[in-house]
Amino acid sequence: VNDVSMIQEARVGVGILGLEGSQAERASDYAIPRFKHLRRLLAVHGRYSLVRNSNLIQYSFYKNIVYGLTQVFFSFYNGFSGQTVYDSWVVLFFNIFFTFLPPMVMGIFDYDVKGEYLLRHPGLYSELRSPFALRMSRASSYLWMVLALFHATIIYYGCFKGGMETDILQNGRDAGLWVNATTMMTTLLCVVIFQAALSFLSWTWIHAASIALSFLAYVVFVFIYEALPPAWGFAIYYDVSSAAHGTSTYWLNVLLWVGLFISPQVAVLVVRRSWFGTHMHHARMSTYMSKKTLPWQSSPSAGSVSSVDAKTLVAAMDITNGRGAAAASVSPAKGKYVGLHEQPLIDHGDL
């Protein structure tokens, strides 16, 4: 404990404030006043840091790959001339204003399980070692990359290329580059923001505000930008947004592709959490249902051990078996173990 050499060699060094001086504190990445605080540092703050940073990094890669690949695809059809498919101001504001709020909220305020549940059931920490857990792994990174490639390809060839050849405005002119680019950007932005909404692990008013403000920022920008008079040097985008909104192709593309992209993912999430849920999903459901026990610690039914006895038994096993044994709950229906409450990260007696 508090060995300076070991703290410096560790990936994350934790020092404990003690009577032997502050050398370990200065050499560590994190300093805690008591050994009992290590439990919260690992089970709560460590878990939140891993989950938040993993989602933030993978989602940031996803949205920029979708956004960048559409311009790469366009370069094959403009002779690699350097012409961008989006207006330069739209390119500038995509990451600065349109899509910066959801990743920021994801990296600061998002969480999967509330802190009191994680402290009560620290065995949930072990699930983070799974390659399919809520962390950045090789499997999850490949999945995000494939999803980004699929979305970018369908958005460009389904939304942009089709509109370039068929859209005719009410004045008899063809839609042209900027009207179709506005249609594609709106569709892309809706897909990217809705993907952020599906990636959120928790929902608060801050999460909802980040989604709403992202849409609002884009809508306000395009209507202000198109209203700027040509005499100010912004003739390239004058009245473009109104022309795009006046076509049925614009609304059809937005509704069609957003619905086709989001609906299957919602179905997969429902199936996974309903029939293939992990202990983390069960803990989240217990939090939402305001239960005092986790699903794998279900209370016995009538005719078996009373719920008070079951809770007393689980609590007693949690306290007495902190040094090696794992506490388990008994299924009243089948009379066998249905789940494990894993050994705490530190001994209860040390607290």
Side-chain angles (χ1 to χ4, degrees), residues 1 15 28 53 56 71 107 114 131 152 156 159 167 181 188 193 195-196 224 226 263 265 323 328:
V1 178
S28 63
N53 284 292
L56 170 64
Q71 301 200 73
K114 288 189 175 181
Y156 179 79
C159 178
D167 258 2
L188 185 150
I193 293 177
Q195 186 65 42
I224 292 178
E226 73 154 2
S263 298
Q265 294 188 61
R323 293 188 180 274

Side-chain angles (χ1 to χ4, degrees), residues 151 194-195 198 255-270:
H151 285 179
F194 276 119
Q195 186 65 42
L198 291 178
L255 296 177
L256 175 64
W257 300 121
V258 172
L260 287 178
F261 288 150
I262 301 304
S263 298
Q265 294 188 61
V266 173
V268 170
L269 289 176
V270 171

Side-chain angles (χ1 to χ4, degrees), residues 279-293:
H279 286 179
M280 181 273 296
H281 294 122
H282 297 156
R284 294 179 64 189
M285 185 60 65
S286 295
T287 304
Y288 298 148
M289 300 299 292
S290 299
K291 293 181 180 179
K292 295 183 179 180
T293 57

Side-chain angles (χ1 to χ4, degrees), residues 3 54 58 88 94 142 145 165 184 193 207 220 224 228 230 232 239 287 317:
D3 187 282
S54 297
Q58 293 181 127
S88 59
F94 178 80
Y142 287 157
M145 297 304 105
E165 299 173 359
M184 184 168 67
I193 293 177
H207 293 74
V220 170
I224 292 178
L228 296 178
W232 292 5
D239 203 32
T287 304
M317 295 178 70

